[in-house]
Amino acid sequence: MSVIVNAINWFGALPGPVMMFLIFLVINLLLRIGVGKSIKAAFMYALGLFALSTFAYDVFLGTVAGVGDAMVTNLGLTKTIVDFGSGVTPFILSKPIVVLAIPVGLALNIVMLLLKLTKTLDVDIYNMMYFWGSVGVLVQVATGNTVFAILSILLTGVVTLKIADWSAPKIHEVLPQYKGLSFPYVYSAYYGPVAYWFNKLFDRIPFIRDSRLDADTIKKKLGVLGEPGIIGFVLGIVMGLLGGYSVTDAMLVGIKMGAALYFVPLSTNILIQGLNETTVVLTDWVKNKFKDREIYIGLDGVVLAGMPENLAVGLLLVPIALLVSVILPWNKVLPIGMLSVGFILVAIFMPFFKMNILKGIIFCFIVVTCELFIGQMMAPYFTEIAMTAGAEIPYGSVEITNAANMPNLIFVKLFELISNIIS
């Protein structure tokens, strides 16, 4: 048993590009694509993921996180709870229950595929482990019950896969280049259905309904100034100045953000090239083996984030998050973690607005409000985990939280209620 646990721990600790290279290499070989083509396709996917991670996470997220921190300090913003974002990751991954999310999640996915309960084959193992597993960790902290923790992992998986199935054709309709893929990415997937209904509401308002504010329209109207890279450059400078940076440092922030908005879409195209071989062969294989079925490859939501509209709205989410956190009278959360992952958060809901930036910006106010509420409700559990790990709480706050997972709130409160009833 220890050998299996150690193997899972080793695999789960692999860098993302390495893990996904191995996963897609095995899938490609099982699909009999051929050794040479299998290696090339897996490498192209890993290369695209590496480039995407570099520009999306290291450059974009790193820059936004830094300037976001500076804005908070310079503007004198303080709250009793800080959204620690990815800072909670080590605390979550240190809990043994997380390891179970991989075998439990894979077994659930396979069973659901065999029973025709899902169309999604989720190959994003890290996010299955972290996002599904974090629900289990928090339920175990809230109830002290390991069975409830495993049940919460299963329920998170079932709901997430079903939402991914439902969202996929709607995303394909707007972004046909992603046909054959679905996005069971827990952090943002749950906002897809919410965006669907809000889009119906928006379409009842003439000004919003008739707006045509997408990347192509902006580029046509503003010319060079409408290029995603230039927009990132300008917004980066403004944010840097609001953070108290010197003009030179603010310009560097702008250049980094502009570079990210320019190179992330290119990196995504490389990643999709690596997927093409797999998706074409998998589609043919499914058609032959399951003539009445359609199978999607489930991937990380960051794959969608490369669209310029997503990057633009994600960048604008930073000032929106700070503004909403200040004006909501009941809010106690300082949304630091949210500032650095906005473009991933918006990636799945933007297709429901047909990439309309105006609709996306308005919806961000709804999303931020929901995230702040989730973060405030989950603060006691994350704080308990952090204090147990001996972590210090930053920004002069009293508690820490992570708003990045709607099932955390749903299933922690559900199993906490059940635990109270039966105890």
Side-chain angles (χ1 to χ4, degrees):
M1 182 64 183
S2 62
V3 174
I4 296 175
V5 171
N6 289 336
I8 293 173
N9 283 331
W10 171 82
F11 186 74
L14 289 174
V18 176
M19 180 188 292
M20 298 310 292
F21 171 80
L22 294 174
I23 289 173
F24 274 101
L25 178 61
V26 171
I27 291 174
N28 292 341
L29 291 173
L30 290 174
L31 292 172
R32 299 181 181 179
I33 291 176
V35 176
K37 287 185 176 181
S38 294
I39 293 174
K40 181 181 178 181
F43 169 73
M44 289 298 289
Y45 182 87
L47 174 63
L49 185 60
F50 171 76
L52 187 60
S53 298
T54 299
F55 286 105
Y57 288 101
D58 297 345
V59 178
F60 189 84
L61 295 189
T63 304
V64 170
V67 75
D69 285 353
M71 289 171 65
V72 167
T73 302
N74 192 51
L75 298 175
L77 302 178
T78 57
K79 295 287 181 180
T80 58
I81 304 169
V82 59
D83 177 10
F84 209 30
S86 58
V88 304
T89 301
F91 312 145
I92 295 296
L93 295 183
S94 68
K95 300 299 181 180
I97 195 72
V98 164
V99 177
L100 288 177
I102 295 179
V104 169
L106 289 174
L108 170 69
N109 197 180
I110 292 169
V111 169
M112 288 182 68
L113 282 168
L114 292 175
L115 296 178
K116 300 183 180 181
L117 296 176
T118 185
K119 298 178 180 179
T120 294
L121 173 62
D122 190 354
V123 300
D124 189 5
I125 304 300
Y126 173 80
N127 284 314
M128 179 183 290
M129 175 184 69
Y130 178 72
F131 284 111
W132 299 19
S134 66
V135 181
V137 169
L138 290 162
V139 168
Q140 191 174 47
V141 168
T143 67
N145 191 312
T146 302
V147 174
F148 286 172
I150 295 173
L151 285 175
S152 70
I153 293 172
L154 289 169
L155 287 172
T156 299
V158 170
V159 178
T160 303
L161 290 171
K162 297 301 290 184
I163 288 177
D165 291 343
W166 174 84
S167 298
K170 295 174 175 57
I171 293 173
H172 301 158
E173 183 181 343
V174 178
L175 303 173
Q177 65 267 40
Y178 294 104
K179 189 173 179 59
L181 305 179
S182 68
F183 302 94
Y185 185 60
V186 176
Y187 181 30
S188 50
Y190 287 70
Y191 285 108
V194 182
Y196 175 81
W197 289 107
F198 264 91
N199 187 60
K200 290 183 176 296
L201 174 63
F202 291 157
D203 283 344
R204 293 178 177 272
I205 305 171
F207 170 72
I208 301 176
R209 181 189 63 223
D210 299 335
S211 65
R212 295 291 181 268
L213 195 61
D214 57 21
D216 289 338
T217 302
I218 292 174
K219 186 176 178 181
K220 287 177 183 178
K221 290 185 176 181
L222 298 180
V224 174
L225 295 178
E227 295 281 351
I230 299 298
I231 293 174
F233 175 62
V234 173
L235 289 176
I237 291 175
V238 172
M239 290 172 62
L241 294 174
L242 287 174
Y245 287 16
S246 67
V247 173
T248 302
D249 289 340
M251 289 184 68
L252 181 58
V253 169
I255 289 171
K256 287 181 177 180
M257 288 190 178
L261 265 66
Y262 181 81
F263 283 108
V264 166
L266 297 180
S267 303
T268 305
N269 288 337
I270 296 172
L271 184 147
I272 291 174
Q273 286 180 36
L275 279 174
N276 282 341
E277 192 80 49
T278 306
T279 52
V280 168
V281 175
L282 181 61
T283 300
D284 291 340
W285 182 81
V286 169
K287 286 181 179 178
N288 291 329
K289 298 292 184 179
F290 307 99
K291 299 185 184 300
D292 61 337
R293 303 186 64 183
E294 183 179 20
I295 300 295
Y296 305 131
I297 296 177
L299 293 178
D300 191 321
V302 74
V303 174
L304 279 174
M307 301 300 296
E309 293 88 351
N310 293 339
L311 291 168
V313 175
L315 190 54
L316 290 170
L317 186 138
V318 173
I320 291 172
L322 292 175
L323 175 63
V324 173
S325 71
V326 171
I327 63 177
L328 285 178
W330 52 263
N331 175 57
K332 299 177 182 178
V333 178
L334 185 63
I336 294 296
M338 203 185 307
L339 303 183
S340 60
V341 291
F343 78 108
I344 304 176
L345 181 59
V346 309
I348 288 181
F349 70 65
M350 282 297 288
F352 290 92
F353 301 131
K354 294 184 169 52
M355 311 310 288
N356 185 298
I357 292 175
L358 178 60
K359 290 181 177 180
I361 291 172
I362 296 172
F363 189 65
C364 277
F365 285 88
I366 307 300
V367 171
V368 169
T369 301
C370 292
E371 291 287 288
L372 292 173
F373 176 75
I374 293 170
Q376 190 157 311
M377 295 295 289
M378 297 307 300
Y381 311 100
F382 278 107
T383 302
E384 181 178 338
I385 295 172
M387 297 301 287
T388 302
E392 294 184 4
I393 300 175
Y395 302 102
S397 298
V398 178
E399 297 179 286
I400 71 167
T401 191
N402 182 11
N405 197 341
M406 196 177 290
N408 283 345
L409 177 62
I410 297 170
F411 294 120
V412 165
K413 292 302 180 182
L414 172 64
F415 283 103
E416 197 171 46
L417 176 63
I418 294 173
S419 179
N420 291 334
I421 292 174
I422 64 177
S423 62

